[in-house]
Structures are given as C-alpha cells and as structure tokens.
Amino acid sequence: MSPGIDLQGSFIQLLTSLGLPPQLAKVVWIPLPLLLMLISATVGVLVVVWLERKVSAAAQQRVGPEYAGPLGTLQPVADGLKLLFEEDIIPAQADPWLFSIGPALVVVPVFLSYLIIPFGQNMNITDLGLGVFLWIALSSVAPVGLLMSGYSSNNKYSLLGGLRAAAQSISYEIPLALAVLAIVMMSNSLSTVDIVGQQSGYGILGWNLWRQPVGFLIFWVAALAECERLPFDLPEAEEELVAGYQTEYGGMRFALFYLGSYVNLILSALLVAILYLGGWELPVSVDWITSLLGLDPTTPWLQVITASLGIIMVVLKAYLLVFLAVLLRWTVPRVRIDQLLDLGWKFLLPVALVNLLLTAALKITFPAFFGG
Amino acid sequence: MLKFLKKVGDYASEAAQAAKYIGQGLSVTFDHMQRRPVTVQYPYEKLVPSERYRGRIHFEYDKCIACEVCVRVCPINLPVVDYEYNKAARKKELKSYSIDFGVCIFCGNCVEYCPTNCLSMTEEYELSSYDRHDLNFDSVALGRLPYKVTDDPMVTPLRELAYLPKGEMDPHGVPDSARRAGLRPEEIIEKENAEAPVEVE
Amino acid sequence: MNLSEVVQLVSFGVLTLLMLGAALGVVLSPSVVYSAFLLGLTFSSMAGLYLLLNADFVAAAQILVYVGAVNVLILFGVMLVNKRQDYQRETGLLLRQLLTAVVCFGLFALLGTVTVITPWQLAEGVTQVDSSVIALAKHLFSDYLLPFEVASVLLLMAMIGAIVLARRDLLMEDPETGMPAETDLALPERPRETVVGE
C-alpha cells in the first residue's frame, strides 16, 4: 500500500523553505482543507439538489428544471439566491434567540463531521483516532437543535415535528452505532483511514459489503432515517405536520435546514462508501494494475492519477448511493410513526445485535477473513 | 423451543418478502426513468382544448333579451343583469351584463338554458390576474373572442389524447395532418343520415 | 510560551467561563426550557475541557451520552409536560432557600477541600498515549472491570424497570363474565390487542 501524495507535508515543507517557522506553517495550513471541505460540501449539495430534481422528474416522467443553465444545472443556485434575498422573519410569539440558534445547531455538527471523511490515504482534514465515533457523537447533537427550533417556533406542528425528529434520530442512532461497531471490530480501529486500508488490496472482493451485508443494510436504513429521507420523513410530513419543525422558518434560516439535510445525506452516503464500499479503492486493486504494468508506485505522475482516481471513486460511490436514496424516495411510501419506531427498536436493533455477535464469532473463527 | 424457532423463521421470511417487494418497487421506478416525459411544457407548449371544454363564458350583447334565465339556473345566481323596461317598445333593454369568474364554477347551466344562445362556452382557461376583481368580466370583456392556441406563434399546440391518431400516446412530434382516431362529428351525422333517411312530413 | 500553549490557555479560559456561565444559567434561569438548553451548553464545554486534556474519546463520549442522550431526554420531558402554570408562592420559602443554600455551600466546601488536599501528581514525564481508546479499553477490562460490569448491570436494571413501568399489559377482568374489561388505559380509537389470544 503506497502512502500516496501528502499535500500537508509538501505544503509545510514549501512554507518552511520560504523561511517560516514550521509551527506557523502548520497554522497557515489548517484553514485551507477546512475551507476546501466547506466549499466542496456546499457544491456537493448543489449537485445533489439538481440530481434529486432531475431524477425525481425522470421517475415521474417529467422533464424537471430545464431553463436555468444547461439542463437546469443552475436551478439550485437560483433557489439559494432566492432564499438569500428572502425577508428575514421571526414570528411574533416565537422565542427569537432559540429560533435563531436552532438551525445553526442542526447544521454545524453535520459540517464538522466532514472532518473524518477521507478521500485518499492523506487526502483528509485529520486522521483522527476517534474516526467514526466522532461522527456518531456529533450526529447526536442535531436533535437538540431540532427540539430547539421546534419549541421556539411557538407552533404545534413545529413542536410535534421537532419531537418526532428527536425521537427518530435517537432511536436510529443505536442500530447505526451497532452496525458501525461491527465494522470497527473487524478493522481494529475507529479511524476511517484504517477502515478503508483494511478493505484494500483485493479490489472489489475486499470490500466490507461482502463481509457485512446485513450491517450494510442496517446502516443504510438507519442513515436514511437519520437524514429524514423519504420512507422516514415523518418530522416534516407535509400531509400531517405542514413542514414539521421548518414550518415557521423562511429565508436564510430555512436555507440552513435545507442545506443541512442535503449535506447530511451526502455525509451518510460518503460514510457508507467508506465503511462498506472500500472508500477510495477501485473495483480492481491499483497495486495489482501497477505491478502488472511494471510501474513503480512511487512515480509522481502515477501518484497524482491514483489520488484523483481515488477522489473520483469516493464521490462516484457516494452519488450512486444518493441516486439510490432518490429512487427509494419515489418507491416507498412514508411509514407511520409507530411503524417507524417498531422498525427501529424491534427489527433493526435485534438484527444489529445478532450481526455484531456473529461478526465477533466469525472474527475469532476466521481471523484471516474477518480481520484478526 | 420449536414454536419459538418457527416464529423466528416466519419473521425472517416476512422480512425477506418485504425486501423483495421493495426491490420490485425499485425496479419499477427505475424502469420509469427511461420513459419519455409525458408532461406538456406549459408556457411553450399548450394543449388544444377539446370541443366540449367548459372555459370562460362568451356573451353576445345584441342577442340578450335580459330574461334572467341564466341568473335563475345559476347555482349561486351569479350573472348580474342590469336592464331597464322600455314601456314604449314593451321590451327590456339590457344596460349591462357581468359574470365574476372568480366565483363561477363553470358548470355551464346558463349556457344550457339561454333561450337566445347568447351565452357560449369558450376554450379559454388562462384566467389568472393580479387582482381578483379583475376576474369580474363585464359585457365588453365577456364579448371578446378567445385567443386560439394554434394562432399563437410562440406556442407549440399539442393535441389531447382523444384527438391523436390510433395507437399514438404522445402528442409530441405527431404531424398536423395525421387524422384523429374514430369518426369526426360531421361524418357521424353523415353516416346517420345515410342509414336512416330523413323522414319528410 | 509558544503558539500552542497560548491557544490552549485561551481556550481553557473561554471554556471555563462558558461552563460556569451556563451552569449558573441552569440554576438561575426562570424558564425550565432555557435551563435544559443551557445544561447542554455546560456539557459541551465540559467536553471541550476533556479535549484540552487530550482525552478525545472521553470528550466524544461526553457529547454522545450527555448532550445527545441525557440532555435530549430532559428536553423531551420538559416539552411533553409543558404546563403553563404560574409560579406559586409557597409559605416558608425563605427557610427553604436558606436550607438549600446551606446544603449547597456545604457540598461546595466539601468538594473544594477535596480538590485542595488531594496531592495532584503532575508527573513530569507524562507518557504520550498514541490512542486514548486503546488505553481506556485496557483499563476498563483489567483494573476497572468490576465497576464497569456493575455499571452495566445497573443500566440493565434501569432498563428493565423502565420497561415494566411503561408496559401497560394490566388486563382487568370483569369478575362476572371473565372477559377483559374496558379500562381507562385503552386508547379510545384503537383497542389494544389482548394477551389472552396467545
């Protein structure tokens, strides 16, 4: 396994060679990947919004956005600008402080979770030892924001939506964490880089999908529920709750919710790609190809190609999963709240526990296949 | 123990069945994605309304005898008929006539019962306005002829399903010369006349 | 003093102020909902303090358990029982407040003396643990095994207790007919399935 290119190392080296102390060089480096991630996450949202509109239109035999930019690609930008210029309204009886903090509290943890998403061996913001656990911890903060905005809107639909959202994310966090735990047990590390590293070397055959098929399904279902995507979009069920906790929101505050939900969807898709679909690994192992062609894996141009292929692979896998989510949206009807909780507590939780036990047993019996 | 195992087995098979149905549903949705859009791109394409379309009501001022039948048959007595009785001519003289299309339900009763056929249904359906009082049409507005979709150079007129050739489902790309399925109204009359010759009294 | 130390000091000051302010707000705020939200802020700033101590796993667990679970549960409770009733003046309020103040101050004094008299061994050569998760796990499964297991048994007991309390399978049988009687516990629109059928 070649380490690939180390952007951080090269950047710091460049600055120190210009005469900056290494510590200061590192301080200069820190905001760069953060900014890059923030921008790419926002651009990713624009792409997903466009994709969702187009795929939804195709599934319903419509055309979808067509006139804003080529093939309507600028439609999400137009949406964003429209929300940006909207009047900033706080309902008269609402609690202005909680009303304003709520959306921020929903969005910030989602963006923070991008810290742990790797696009290559050294292509991430930080390789935290904490890894996926950070994501699980951060995603548990969002319900506080949802409750906050639901409560402060002074609207019964908002309150009900907020309560539903919180109940839903608490219930589905447990199967989600158990599914992740099985993966972590196999790769002996919480770090996302290590998890991908453990899947590498055998191309598509080495992916966790084959070793954890049940875990994959549990994770995907629970992730959809965490993102409040359609079979599980009860908190904002239009037919019953107007728009749930978003009812009273408009303009930029609503845009934050909108952005947050789509960023969360991409995040979940990225995490599925990393945990189960081999992250930046190609379906055919790169090492195998290079050795077949007789190339040195440390050649600079080869490293650039591998790194960009890796980024493309991660994004491609994530967008395939987003496509699946959109398709699911137009296939499966919304579940009822009791069905939702039944599915979470009575089906996913026991199955996830059995899956965890099985993984532990298999790990002890076949350490070669299930990570010793 | 066996009973419990059977329960677990049943549950598992039910879960597998549910998964199968979701898979089938997904394949249906996926199949729909490669079908052609059936929608009409409204401001640029418009459907030609059918012959019996009940659109905005047209009113001919000169034919009206101010009998107020339209008011009586209207479910909500909507038409406003203002007339003056001319004693010399012993006739009602119509002064103004108006229908508020913000309230009208386009049931067509007035058209049905009008003794002089001064009311008729048009194919006009684009009645949006910035002020709902603009929808209160007076006799002048009611007398305007509707704008035909086929005359508009900005609009691609499309035919409805009933006016398409046999076997054709999509109005896009069907040539204007293609004849609709079935007989045309005048042909039906002709056929009926041929079958049953008109009785002469 | 280099850059990282300055950053650490400033963050320590900010986090401490935030924590103390939020904790005071929890106690002094007249609105229960505000108190609950401020409690979340207190927990979060505590997690920040853990982070400053290089205990990243503990910090994340603090967020997950205290902010994500405990605080949300408290909020749930507050929002489901949001009765808008006025604060009633009770008799002997002064005495109660005085008593509370004495108890609280005693507790504070106790904790304060403990912190003062405990010899905090600030070992010079603190060994840099490369992964706090592994170090924690080793401790949990060797010298802290008993407390760990006892805590899990306690949680299990709490869970079973909660289930027993929440489960309403009380079937009142009509003494004359022997059939399950109508109870006030049943939902008006959807009758509960009876356990007799099994």
Side-chain angles (χ1 to χ4, degrees):
Chain A
M1 186 70 211
S2 61
I5 39 178
D6 183 4
L7 279 179
Q8 181 182 6
S10 340
F11 182 81
I12 290 171
Q13 222 168 24
L14 180 76
L15 282 190
T16 40
S17 68
L18 287 174
L20 246 67
Q23 227 176 13
L24 206 65
K26 203 162 181 183
V27 171
V28 175
W29 164 259
I30 287 171
L32 290 180
L34 289 177
L35 205 67
L36 192 69
M37 207 47 119
L38 209 65
I39 292 169
S40 54
T42 315
V43 172
V45 166
L46 296 183
V47 176
V48 168
V49 171
W50 177 78
L51 199 74
E52 166 128 55
R53 280 165 173 265
K54 273 299 197 191
V55 173
S56 304
Q60 298 170 346
Q61 299 185 43
R62 292 186 282 115
V63 178
E66 199 181 19
Y67 294 101
L71 283 173
T73 36
L74 294 180
Q75 190 64 48
V77 182
D79 286 357
L81 280 176
K82 176 245 178 197
L83 286 172
L84 195 67
F85 287 119
E86 227 171 67
E87 189 187 350
D88 183 40
I89 295 173
I90 295 176
Q93 294 288 307
D95 190 319
W97 276 97
L98 297 184
F99 192 76
S100 309
I101 300 170
L105 214 56
V106 175
V107 171
V108 169
V110 183
F111 271 104
L112 271 182
S113 306
Y114 271 82
L115 278 174
I116 59 151
I117 300 292
F119 290 93
Q121 190 70 21
N122 283 307
M123 307 282 256
N124 52 3
I125 299 180
T126 50
D127 179 14
L128 285 174
L130 222 51
V132 271
F133 190 65
L134 181 80
W135 171 59
I136 291 171
L138 281 175
S139 67
S140 74
V141 177
V144 179
L146 298 177
L147 279 174
M148 200 182 264
S149 41
Y151 171 79
S152 63
S153 298
N154 192 32
N155 176 326
K156 60 188 169 205
Y157 298 117
S158 296
L159 182 62
L160 277 174
L163 284 176
R164 274 190 188 185
Q168 182 173 332
S169 30
I170 292 176
S171 326
Y172 278 79
E173 208 142 86
I174 301 163
L176 196 74
L178 285 175
V180 172
L181 200 58
I183 293 282
V184 167
M185 204 150 69
M186 289 197 327
S187 43
N188 292 323
S189 171
L190 284 165
S191 154
T192 40
V193 176
D194 290 351
I195 288 173
V196 177
Q198 187 253 350
Q199 302 176 56
S200 69
Y202 302 100
I204 195 169
L205 293 174
W207 293 357
N208 272 338
L209 178 63
W210 312 119
R211 285 178 283 190
Q212 285 284 334
V214 180
F216 170 72
L217 287 177
I218 294 168
F219 189 93
W220 184 235
V221 172
L224 280 183
E226 287 272 299
C227 298
E228 288 152 18
R229 288 288 305 180
L230 213 99
F232 309 108
D233 73 333
L234 289 148
E236 48 206 87
E238 302 93 333
E239 290 85 359
E240 352 172 350
L241 292 183
V242 188
Y245 52 86
Q246 307 170 353
T247 308
E248 296 289 345
Y249 281 88
M252 224 31 227
R253 293 200 183 87
F254 173 75
L256 278 182
F257 277 130
Y258 197 72
L259 185 74
S261 73
Y262 278 102
V263 172
N264 207 357
L265 177 66
I266 303 175
L267 181 74
S268 303
L270 281 170
L271 272 164
V272 173
I274 284 156
L275 295 180
Y276 293 95
L277 301 178
W280 60 84
E281 291 291 319
L282 268 69
V284 184
S285 173
V286 175
D287 289 349
W288 186 73
I289 296 174
T290 48
S291 65
L292 199 73
L293 295 173
L295 290 167
D296 183 19
T298 50
T299 330
W301 62 267
L302 191 66
Q303 277 190 349
V304 170
I305 287 179
T306 340
S308 33
L309 263 182
I311 294 175
I312 291 170
M313 275 327 280
V314 176
V315 173
L316 197 71
K317 284 167 187 171
Y319 275 105
L320 265 177
L321 286 160
V322 169
F323 172 72
L324 185 69
V326 177
L327 217 58
L328 266 172
R329 176 178 178 174
W330 299 115
T331 304
V332 192
R334 179 185 302 130
V335 293
R336 245 177 13 228
I337 186 81
D338 59 324
Q339 291 169 336
L340 174 98
L341 294 177
D342 266 9
L343 181 71
W345 291 104
K346 292 188 188 165
F347 182 72
L348 288 183
L349 182 62
V351 172
L353 277 170
V354 169
N355 181 48
L356 186 67
L357 275 177
L358 262 181
T359 313
L362 285 170
K363 182 181 157 131
I364 292 169
T365 350
F366 307 107
F369 294 110
F370 288 88
Chain B
M1 186 64 194
L2 258 175
K3 203 178 165 190
F4 175 72
L5 278 182
K6 190 181 170 297
K7 254 185 175 174
V8 172
D10 287 353
Y11 195 70
S13 71
E14 266 173 36
Q17 213 163 27
K20 197 185 95 186
Y21 289 146
I22 290 175
Q24 281 177 351
L26 274 176
S27 65
V28 169
T29 320
F30 192 75
D31 181 61
H32 271 258
M33 288 191 47
Q34 52 194 343
R35 300 189 187 178
R36 264 209 83 182
V38 293
T39 43
V40 174
Q41 302 301 305
Y42 167 63
Y44 308 102
E45 298 173 344
K46 283 176 189 172
L47 284 176
V48 182
S50 78
E51 291 139 358
R52 299 191 173 202
Y53 190 82
R54 298 202 289 216
R56 195 258 296 167
I57 292 160
H58 180 260
F59 171 73
E60 270 177 84
Y61 190 89
D62 297 335
K63 276 192 188 172
C64 184
I65 54 169
C67 65
E68 284 190 296
V69 161
C70 48
V71 184
R72 250 174 277 158
V73 296
C74 181
I76 46 171
N77 303 342
L78 186 62
V80 178
V81 188
D82 186 13
Y83 61 83
E84 208 171 335
Y85 188 65
N86 188 339
K87 275 186 180 157
R90 303 186 64 188
K91 258 185 180 176
K92 289 181 193 168
E93 274 175 4
L94 186 65
K95 285 166 76 184
S96 79
Y97 186 92
S98 71
I99 295 175
D100 188 348
F101 288 113
V103 190
C104 179
I105 59 164
F106 302 96
C107 64
N109 266 356
C110 47
V111 178
E112 192 87 359
Y113 285 95
C114 183
T116 57
N117 278 344
C118 72
L119 288 170
S120 55
M121 285 295 197
T122 68
E123 55 182 44
E124 192 181 320
Y125 53 88
E126 289 151 320
L127 288 168
S128 53
S129 69
Y130 284 104
D131 184 353
R132 68 193 164 101
H133 300 298
D134 291 348
L135 291 173
N136 195 354
F137 280 41
D138 66 353
S139 49
V140 179
L142 284 168
R144 283 193 198 113
L145 282 176
Y147 199 76
K148 275 172 83 179
V149 174
T150 41
D151 288 347
D152 196 337
M154 297 286 287
V155 171
T156 315
L158 293 175
R159 287 194 264 175
E160 277 178 348
L161 187 68
Y163 299 95
L164 287 174
K166 198 177 179 188
E168 199 72 50
M169 299 293 281
D170 189 5
H172 298 268
V174 177
D176 288 345
S177 53
R179 201 168 168 280
R180 66 180 266 194
L183 295 173
R184 298 168 64 89
E186 59 264 28
E187 286 169 345
I188 294 173
I189 293 171
E190 217 169 89
K191 199 177 151 198
E192 279 184 349
N193 286 348
E195 275 170 5
V198 186
E199 288 173 31
V200 186
E201 285 182 34
Chain C
M1 195 181 267
N2 60 16
L3 200 66
S4 60
E5 276 173 28
V6 173
V7 171
Q8 276 191 13
L9 198 71
V10 170
S11 353
F12 176 74
V14 169
L15 282 172
T16 316
L17 278 180
L18 204 63
M19 191 168 83
L20 288 178
L24 279 177
V26 173
V27 185
L28 298 177
S29 162
S31 156
V32 196
V33 179
Y34 273 29
S35 292
F37 282 125
L38 283 170
L39 190 65
L41 186 61
T42 318
F43 288 146
S44 316
S45 33
M46 208 128 88
L49 284 181
Y50 286 140
L51 263 189
L52 278 184
L53 293 169
N54 264 343
D56 52 352
F57 186 81
V58 183
Q62 166 89 11
I63 295 270
L64 177 65
V65 175
Y66 282 92
V67 182
V70 172
N71 197 37
V72 168
L73 214 63
I74 290 174
L75 280 170
F76 244 94
V78 169
M79 282 181 190
L80 287 178
V81 204
N82 189 11
K83 278 193 178 168
R84 299 232 166 144
Q85 60 190 176
D86 288 329
Y87 186 65
Q88 283 180 346
R89 280 266 157 217
E90 302 218 14
T91 48
L93 195 68
L94 196 70
L95 186 72
R96 287 182 193 207
Q97 279 178 341
L98 260 174
L99 268 176
T100 321
V102 167
V103 170
C104 287
F105 187 75
L107 210 60
F108 181 74
L110 190 70
L111 284 171
T113 41
V114 167
T115 25
V116 170
I117 58 172
T118 311
W120 297 101
Q121 286 180 334
L122 284 173
E124 282 301 307
V126 180
T127 44
Q128 188 71 41
V129 190
D130 45 305
S131 171
S132 61
V133 184
I134 293 169
L136 264 177
K138 275 182 182 151
H139 276 299
L140 272 186
F141 284 97
S142 56
D143 39 354
Y144 288 103
L145 186 60
L146 187 66
F148 180 70
E149 292 294 333
V150 168
S152 59
V153 169
L154 185 74
L155 283 177
L156 185 68
M157 275 158 59
M159 198 163 76
I160 292 172
I163 291 169
V164 168
L165 281 179
R167 214 179 134 98
R168 294 182 301 190
D169 269 348
L170 288 170
L171 268 184
M172 311 284 190
E173 279 192 12
D174 204 325
E176 284 159 32
T177 55
M179 295 295 285
E182 296 281 318
T183 61
D184 294 339
L185 300 175
L187 292 174
E189 65 271 17
R190 228 177 98 221
R192 294 176 64 85
E193 290 103 345
T194 53
V195 269
V196 181
E198 281 190 13

